[in-house]
Each structure stands twice: as structure tokens, then as C-alpha cells.
Amino acid sequence: MRHLLLLTSLASLLPITACGDDPATPAIDAGGVDAAPREIVTADRTLGVGEIAEGILTGGPADRADLHLAAATPAIDWNIHGHAGGGTQTVTEGLAQLTVDYGFVPSAQGEWFVLVRNGGAAPLAVSVRLELHGAMTWSGWQ
């Protein structure tokens, strides 16, 4: 009788443990900006001395682009900017960089421009990696 009570007690616990939520494993919001990238773009460029390349990101506050730039010498000049109302609004920029890691979340829906310039005295190969989240899109170099 004692074994029967023990087996009945254990059997009643199995459904509870099998169906319970595991608080240590949070749900992943696959559509949110914290999820894995929806798309990864590599858009490497070799720039002559003083040469500029500009690419277009399109997105808004619910989107994000993680920008990663790298070169062999610290000659990357770069910025992210917009052209709302005919002007130029610089979001962020850096000069004479060896590497850049920047997470960009637009302040408004629209086209945003990634500008990369060779600020050095010799041709510069720039490795470009964009991790796109949400509905952010990359239109390539213009």
C-alpha cells in the first residue's frame, strides 16, 4: 500500500514538472531589435586616397543596423547622416579609425546614409559588415 501511495504521488508530479514554465529560459522576440540579425550584409570597398563611398540604410525607430568597419591602417573616416528637409543631420562620426562598431537605431523613419572615406595617404581596403534588424534595408553603395 505504501508503494502504491508513493507511485501515485510521483505520477501526479510528472505533469506539473513537464508542463511548467522554465523561468531561466526567456522567450526570444524574433521580430525585435534584440533578436538575431534578420540579414547580414558584407559590402567591402577599396578606396583611393580621399575617395568617398556612401550607402543607404532605410528604416525607423523599430529597426537597427549594427555597423562594423575594419582596415589595416587607421585611416577610416566615417559617419551616419540624414538629409531631412534638404539639410544634413549628422548622427555620429569618426576620423582616422582602425575599426568601428556602432549600433544605429534611427530617430525617425527614412533614408540614412553611411559615408566611408579614405583619410590616409594610400589606397585603403575597408571591410564592411552590416547586421540588419527589424525592417532595416541596405541599398548598397551609390
Side-chain angles (χ1 to χ4, degrees):
M1 177 75 167
R2 186 173 178 182
H3 291 297
L4 183 58
L5 287 174
L6 182 59
L7 288 174
T8 306
S9 296
L10 287 175
S12 66
L13 290 176
L14 287 177
I16 294 170
T17 58
C19 296
D21 291 332
D22 180 3
T25 307
I28 296 173
D29 177 8
V33 294
D34 290 329
R38 175 187 50 74
E39 180 180 1
I40 297 174
V41 176
T42 55
D44 300 346
R45 283 297 293 253
T46 298
L47 302 170
V49 175
E51 185 180 357
I52 293 172
E54 190 174 57
I56 300 173
L57 291 167
T58 303
D63 308 316
R64 185 177 84 218
D66 293 330
L67 174 66
H68 308 281
L69 305 174
T73 60
I76 303 170
D77 295 344
W78 70 283
N79 76 30
I80 296 178
H81 64 277
H83 292 295
T88 300
Q89 303 79 37
T90 301
V91 174
T92 190
E93 66 182 356
L95 301 173
Q97 305 289 298
L98 180 64
T99 62
V100 174
D101 291 297
Y102 184 78
F104 171 58
V105 177
S107 58
Q109 183 67 38
E111 287 186 336
W112 300 90
F113 299 85
V114 176
L115 183 141
V116 180
R117 183 176 83 86
N118 178 356
L124 182 69
V126 180
S127 172
V128 180
R129 177 181 166 101
L130 292 159
E131 297 174 9
L132 306 178
H133 300 262
M136 184 73 74
T137 60
W138 170 253
S139 298
W141 300 113
Q142 307 303 308

